[in-house]
Structure formats: structure tokens, C-alpha cells
């Protein structure tokens, strides 16, 4: 079937200028409405199932396996909206020495356990790091989503836990919620098997289960005391995290913050060579918010509580 799929893809690629809306070929379960059946077929992916090119029937006639047409949308999901009041789950960028960072996710709002008040939270590599040879300084401006709206200034950060906090400018309203998740309160440790969710600016709301805890990194910059989250529905939600989701707060079923997302995990393309999922990672790693033994938790490292 793999050989037949590749052969059909070669035929369609040659005819692609005359096949508007055809975007791919794969092998998968036949779809009955929105439900997936157990029958495995070759699928031709189109952007509009109701307007699939009429030539497809003739071009697929010699394929020795069942062929179906399914509609799929490969539009990237990136949240560059401006939120007023500011809430968690959207784009966040920083400026250092006149250079704007690529950006990541504003995780949410936390209490400043050192001096009082509220601060915004993200990863240090999102708002306290940049590739250009300039200094990262307290007070560097923070934007959401871009230079069009300055919302605060860099306050404190800790590279070892990849956590950072910024103070809001006067007059900037903020709300203690995460888009698509809602309100959250308190902290807890992530435990094996725990269902969790996050809202990142690239992949938006995704859910998963804690698949490993107590990471001891060897020769890499991932923070210790991290845990892995594996997507809980490969069929319908094949991606848990992508670039730009860093800084997302990870929340458990009790709406407690258990970690902050810092890394992608398993790349989907490295374990599956066929299929429709866009490039991404089916798992991610997050730093534990709370201290364990001698390893400082992300929240304590920069003086936060939720």
C-alpha cells in the first residue's frame, strides 16, 4: 500500500497544475462523516471536498487499493491577536539592545512573592534571551503581540529553570485567566499519568498526559526537574507543542499550575513517515513549578506564586 500511495502521489504531482486544491496523499482510516472507521485506505487530501477536481476519479482508477478523498486544512494556527486586558496564551516578544526577539507565549499572571503585586510570566529564552551580541537588561521592553503595543518591562529571570517575569506598565489592564482554559489558582507537582493542558500561541489549546517526570538532563540545556507531556489523542490532536509555544503555563484538572513549557519533545516526523499531521512535536517538556529535593522549582527561582 505504501508503494501504491507513492506511485499515486507521483502521478498527481505531475498533474498538479490541473488539480486545484489537491494538497497531499497518505494512508489512513476511512472517514465516515466526522467519524473514523477501521478500514485503511489511501487518502487524497483536498482543501475543499465539495469541489474536488473531477480528474481525480480517472487518475486514481488504476490504484490497487481503495482511494478516498478527504478535506484537510493545513493553515498554521498562530495567535498574534492583541488582548485587552492582557491574558495568558497569546504572543509575547521582548526587545534587547534594539533587537526584537522571535517571540513565544505569555503564560499568564502570577503573584510577585518578593515585593508584592502581579507580574507576567514566560520562559527566560522567550523574553530574556536573544541571538544578537547585546546585553539582556532589567527594564528591557516587553510587547504583546509586537512593537505595536508595549505592555511592560523585563523584571527577573532564571536561566537554570528557564523562567522569567515582567512588570506591567501603568495603565495596562490584565486578567488572571488563560485563553481557552480560564481561571487558574495554586500550584501542584505534575505526577505520572496526570491529564494536563496548555495554551500556546502556535498550537493554541492542546491536552496531554504526564508521561515522565524528574528529568535529569545530560549535556543539554533543558532544565532539570522537568517532566514530559505526551499528546493524549494522536488521531485528532497529533501535535502537543511547536516552536513559539514556549512560556505556556501547564495546568492540571484542578486548574493548578504544574509547570511552564520550555521544549518540544518527540518530533512527529521522526517516528511517522506517512500521514497528514503538519510538522510538530507530539510531546513537550515543562519545568516543574515546585521545588523537589535540591532542585529549585521554576516558581521559586524567580519569586512567584499562583
Amino acid at each position: 500500500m505504501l508503494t501504491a500511495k507513492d506511485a499515486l502521489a507521483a502521478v498527481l504531482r505531475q498533474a498538479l497544475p490541473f488539480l486545484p486544491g489537491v494538497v497531499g496523499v497518505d494512508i489512513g482510516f476511512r472517514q465516515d462523516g466526522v467519524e473514523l472507521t477501521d478500514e485503511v485506505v489511501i487518502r487524497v487530501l483536498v482543501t475543499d471536498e465539495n469541489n474536488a477536481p473531477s480528474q481525480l476519479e480517472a487518475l486514481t482508477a488504476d490504484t490497487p487499493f481503495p482511494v478516498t478523498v478527504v478535506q484537510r486544512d493545513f493553515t498554521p494556527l498562530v495567535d498574534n491577536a492583541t488582548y485587552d486586558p492582557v491574558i495568558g496564551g497569546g504572543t509575547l516578544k521582548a526587545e534587547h539592545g534594539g533587537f526584537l526577539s522571535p517571540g513565544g507565549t505569555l503564560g499568564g499572571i502570577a503573584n510577585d512573592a518578593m515585593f508584592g503585586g502581579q507580574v507576567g510570566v514566560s520562559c527566560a529564552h522567550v523574553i530574556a534571551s536573544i541571538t544578537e551580541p547585546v546585553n539582556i537588561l532589567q527594564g528591557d521592553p516587553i510587547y504583546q503581540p509586537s512593537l505595536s503595543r508595549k505592555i511592560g518591562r523585563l523584571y527577573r529571570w532564571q536561566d537554570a529553570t528557564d523562567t522569567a517575569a515582567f512588570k506591567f506598565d501603568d495603565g495596562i489592564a490584565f486578567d488572571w485567566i488563560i485563553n481557552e482554559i480560564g481561571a487558574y489558582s495554586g500550584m501542584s507537582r505534575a505526577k505520572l499519568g496526570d491529564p494536563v493542558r496548555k495554551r500556546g500561541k502556535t498550537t493554541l489549546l492542546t491536552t496531554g498526559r504526564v508521561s515522565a517526570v524528574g528529568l535529569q538532563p545530560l549535556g543539554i540545556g533543558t532544565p532539570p526537574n522537568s517532566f514530559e507531556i505526551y499528546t493524549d489523542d494522536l488521531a485528532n490532536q497529533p501535535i502537543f507543542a511547536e516552536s513559539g509555544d514556549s512560556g505556556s503555563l501547564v495546568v492540571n484538572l484542578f486548574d493548578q499550575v504544574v509547570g511552564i513549557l520550555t521544549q518540544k519533545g518527540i518530533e512527529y516526523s521522526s517516528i511517522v513517515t506517512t500521514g497528514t499531521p503538519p510538522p510538530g512535536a507530539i510531546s513537550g517538556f515543562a519545568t516543574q513549578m515546585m521545588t523537589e529535593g535540591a532542585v529549585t522549582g521554576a516558581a521559586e527561582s524567580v519569586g512567584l506564586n499562583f
Side-chain angles (χ1 to χ4, degrees), residues 7 36 39 51 59 67-68 82 88 97 104 121-123 131 137-138 157 187 190 203 217-218 223 243 254 302:
L36 296 179
E39 182 185 2
N51 292 294
L59 291 170
V67 179
T68 63
T82 298
V121 182
S122 188
C123 280
T131 57
L137 302 175
Q138 187 179 54
W157 65 95
M187 292 187 291
T203 58
L218 301 174
S243 297
F254 302 101
V302 288

Short mmCIF file of all heavy atoms in Angstrom, two decimals, residues 7 36 39 51 59 67-68 82 88 97 104 121-123 131 137-138 157 187 190 203 217-218 223 243 254 302:
data_model
loop_
_atom_site.label_atom_id
_atom_site.label_comp_id
_atom_site.label_asym_id
_atom_site.label_seq_id
_atom_site.Cartn_x
_atom_site.Cartn_y
_atom_site.Cartn_z
N ALA A 7 3.26 5.84 -5.66
CA ALA A 7 3.06 5.88 -7.11
C ALA A 7 1.93 6.83 -7.47
O ALA A 7 2.03 7.59 -8.45
CB ALA A 7 2.77 4.47 -7.63
N LEU A 36 -14.02 8.20 12.26
CA LEU A 36 -13.07 7.36 11.58
C LEU A 36 -13.49 5.91 11.70
O LEU A 36 -13.86 5.45 12.78
CB LEU A 36 -11.66 7.54 12.17
CG LEU A 36 -11.01 8.90 12.03
CD1 LEU A 36 -9.65 8.89 12.70
CD2 LEU A 36 -10.88 9.31 10.58
N GLU A 39 -11.30 0.84 8.53
CA GLU A 39 -10.79 0.47 7.21
C GLU A 39 -9.64 1.38 6.81
O GLU A 39 -9.75 2.61 6.86
CB GLU A 39 -11.90 0.57 6.16
CG GLU A 39 -11.45 0.15 4.77
CD GLU A 39 -12.51 0.35 3.72
OE1 GLU A 39 -13.61 0.86 4.06
OE2 GLU A 39 -12.25 0.02 2.56
N ASN A 51 -15.55 20.51 -3.81
CA ASN A 51 -15.08 20.97 -5.11
C ASN A 51 -13.80 20.26 -5.52
O ASN A 51 -12.89 20.87 -6.10
CB ASN A 51 -14.86 22.49 -5.08
CG ASN A 51 -16.16 23.26 -4.95
OD1 ASN A 51 -16.99 23.23 -5.84
ND2 ASN A 51 -16.34 23.93 -3.82
N LEU A 59 -7.59 9.55 -12.48
CA LEU A 59 -6.20 9.42 -12.08
C LEU A 59 -6.00 8.36 -11.00
O LEU A 59 -4.89 7.84 -10.83
CB LEU A 59 -5.67 10.77 -11.60
CG LEU A 59 -5.51 11.85 -12.68
CD1 LEU A 59 -5.21 13.19 -12.05
CD2 LEU A 59 -4.40 11.46 -13.66
N VAL A 67 -9.29 4.15 -2.61
CA VAL A 67 -8.85 5.54 -2.52
C VAL A 67 -10.05 6.40 -2.15
O VAL A 67 -11.12 6.27 -2.75
CB VAL A 67 -8.25 6.03 -3.86
CG1 VAL A 67 -7.83 7.50 -3.74
CG2 VAL A 67 -7.05 5.18 -4.25
N THR A 68 -9.88 7.26 -1.17
CA THR A 68 -10.93 8.20 -0.81
C THR A 68 -10.38 9.61 -0.82
O THR A 68 -9.17 9.84 -0.78
CB THR A 68 -11.50 7.91 0.60
OG1 THR A 68 -10.47 8.09 1.57
CG2 THR A 68 -12.04 6.49 0.67
N THR A 82 -4.15 40.93 19.68
CA THR A 82 -3.91 41.83 20.80
C THR A 82 -5.03 41.64 21.81
O THR A 82 -6.21 41.74 21.45
CB THR A 82 -3.87 43.29 20.33
OG1 THR A 82 -2.77 43.46 19.42
CG2 THR A 82 -3.70 44.23 21.51
N GLY A 88 -3.28 35.21 29.48
CA GLY A 88 -2.30 34.21 29.10
C GLY A 88 -2.67 33.51 27.80
O GLY A 88 -3.83 33.47 27.40
N GLY A 97 18.54 45.70 23.30
CA GLY A 97 19.54 46.43 22.53
C GLY A 97 19.08 46.81 21.14
O GLY A 97 19.89 46.87 20.21
N GLY A 104 7.44 34.21 21.87
CA GLY A 104 6.90 32.97 22.40
C GLY A 104 5.54 33.25 22.99
O GLY A 104 4.79 34.08 22.46
N VAL A 121 4.30 36.13 33.20
CA VAL A 121 5.24 35.01 33.27
C VAL A 121 5.44 34.41 31.89
O VAL A 121 4.49 34.22 31.13
CB VAL A 121 4.72 33.91 34.22
CG1 VAL A 121 5.73 32.77 34.33
CG2 VAL A 121 4.41 34.49 35.59
N SER A 122 6.69 34.10 31.56
CA SER A 122 7.02 33.37 30.34
C SER A 122 8.36 32.67 30.57
O SER A 122 8.86 32.62 31.70
CB SER A 122 7.09 34.31 29.14
OG SER A 122 7.24 33.57 27.93
N CYS A 123 8.94 32.12 29.51
CA CYS A 123 10.26 31.49 29.60
C CYS A 123 11.36 32.54 29.51
O CYS A 123 11.20 33.56 28.82
CB CYS A 123 10.45 30.48 28.47
SG CYS A 123 9.66 28.89 28.77
N THR A 131 19.73 36.18 20.12
CA THR A 131 20.93 35.67 19.46
C THR A 131 21.95 36.77 19.16
O THR A 131 23.13 36.49 18.99
CB THR A 131 20.54 34.97 18.14
OG1 THR A 131 19.81 35.89 17.31
CG2 THR A 131 19.68 33.74 18.42
N LEU A 137 18.98 43.24 29.81
CA LEU A 137 18.95 44.12 30.97
C LEU A 137 17.57 44.15 31.61
O LEU A 137 16.54 44.07 30.92
CB LEU A 137 19.32 45.55 30.55
CG LEU A 137 20.70 45.73 29.90
CD1 LEU A 137 20.86 47.17 29.43
CD2 LEU A 137 21.81 45.34 30.87
N GLN A 138 17.56 44.25 32.92
CA GLN A 138 16.30 44.50 33.61
C GLN A 138 15.74 45.83 33.10
O GLN A 138 16.44 46.82 32.96
CB GLN A 138 16.54 44.58 35.12
CG GLN A 138 15.26 44.68 35.93
CD GLN A 138 15.54 44.74 37.42
OE1 GLN A 138 16.31 45.58 37.88
NE2 GLN A 138 14.91 43.85 38.17
N TRP A 157 14.64 36.98 35.92
CA TRP A 157 14.68 35.75 35.15
C TRP A 157 15.71 34.81 35.74
O TRP A 157 16.61 35.22 36.47
CB TRP A 157 14.97 36.03 33.68
CG TRP A 157 16.32 36.60 33.36
CD1 TRP A 157 17.44 35.93 32.98
CD2 TRP A 157 16.68 37.99 33.39
NE1 TRP A 157 18.47 36.80 32.76
CE2 TRP A 157 18.04 38.07 33.01
CE3 TRP A 157 16.00 39.17 33.70
CZ2 TRP A 157 18.72 39.28 32.94
CZ3 TRP A 157 16.68 40.37 33.64
CH2 TRP A 157 18.01 40.42 33.25
N MET A 187 -0.63 25.94 42.95
CA MET A 187 0.39 25.16 42.26
C MET A 187 0.36 23.73 42.77
O MET A 187 -0.09 23.45 43.87
CB MET A 187 1.78 25.74 42.51
CG MET A 187 2.03 27.09 41.87
SD MET A 187 3.76 27.60 42.07
CE MET A 187 3.84 27.89 43.84
N ALA A 190 3.50 17.96 39.01
CA ALA A 190 2.99 17.07 37.97
C ALA A 190 3.35 15.64 38.32
O ALA A 190 4.50 15.36 38.67
CB ALA A 190 3.58 17.45 36.61
N THR A 203 0.26 26.44 18.69
CA THR A 203 -0.68 25.31 18.56
C THR A 203 -1.95 25.52 19.36
O THR A 203 -2.80 24.62 19.41
CB THR A 203 0.00 24.00 18.98
OG1 THR A 203 0.47 24.12 20.33
CG2 THR A 203 1.18 23.68 18.08
N PRO A 217 18.82 16.11 32.87
CA PRO A 217 19.41 16.33 31.54
C PRO A 217 20.90 16.00 31.53
O PRO A 217 21.61 16.23 32.51
CB PRO A 217 19.17 17.82 31.29
CG PRO A 217 19.01 18.41 32.64
CD PRO A 217 18.40 17.36 33.51
N LEU A 218 21.34 15.45 30.41
CA LEU A 218 22.75 15.08 30.24
C LEU A 218 23.30 15.78 29.01
O LEU A 218 23.00 15.41 27.88
CB LEU A 218 22.89 13.56 30.08
CG LEU A 218 22.36 12.71 31.24
CD1 LEU A 218 22.42 11.23 30.89
CD2 LEU A 218 23.16 12.99 32.51
N PRO A 223 16.06 22.39 31.46
CA PRO A 223 16.13 22.49 32.92
C PRO A 223 15.94 21.14 33.60
O PRO A 223 15.13 20.32 33.15
CB PRO A 223 14.98 23.44 33.26
CG PRO A 223 14.72 24.21 32.02
CD PRO A 223 15.02 23.26 30.90
N SER A 243 7.32 25.29 18.04
CA SER A 243 8.10 26.50 18.30
C SER A 243 7.15 27.68 18.47
O SER A 243 6.23 27.88 17.69
CB SER A 243 9.06 26.77 17.14
OG SER A 243 9.99 25.72 17.01
N PHE A 254 -7.33 20.34 38.14
CA PHE A 254 -7.82 21.14 39.26
C PHE A 254 -7.50 22.62 39.06
O PHE A 254 -7.57 23.41 40.01
CB PHE A 254 -7.20 20.63 40.56
CG PHE A 254 -7.50 19.18 40.83
CD1 PHE A 254 -6.55 18.21 40.57
CD2 PHE A 254 -8.75 18.79 41.31
CE1 PHE A 254 -6.82 16.87 40.80
CE2 PHE A 254 -9.03 17.46 41.54
CZ PHE A 254 -8.08 16.49 41.29
N VAL A 302 12.21 32.50 40.58
CA VAL A 302 12.04 33.92 40.28
C VAL A 302 11.02 34.58 41.21
O VAL A 302 10.51 35.65 40.92
CB VAL A 302 11.64 34.14 38.80
CG1 VAL A 302 12.81 33.87 37.88
CG2 VAL A 302 10.46 33.29 38.39
#
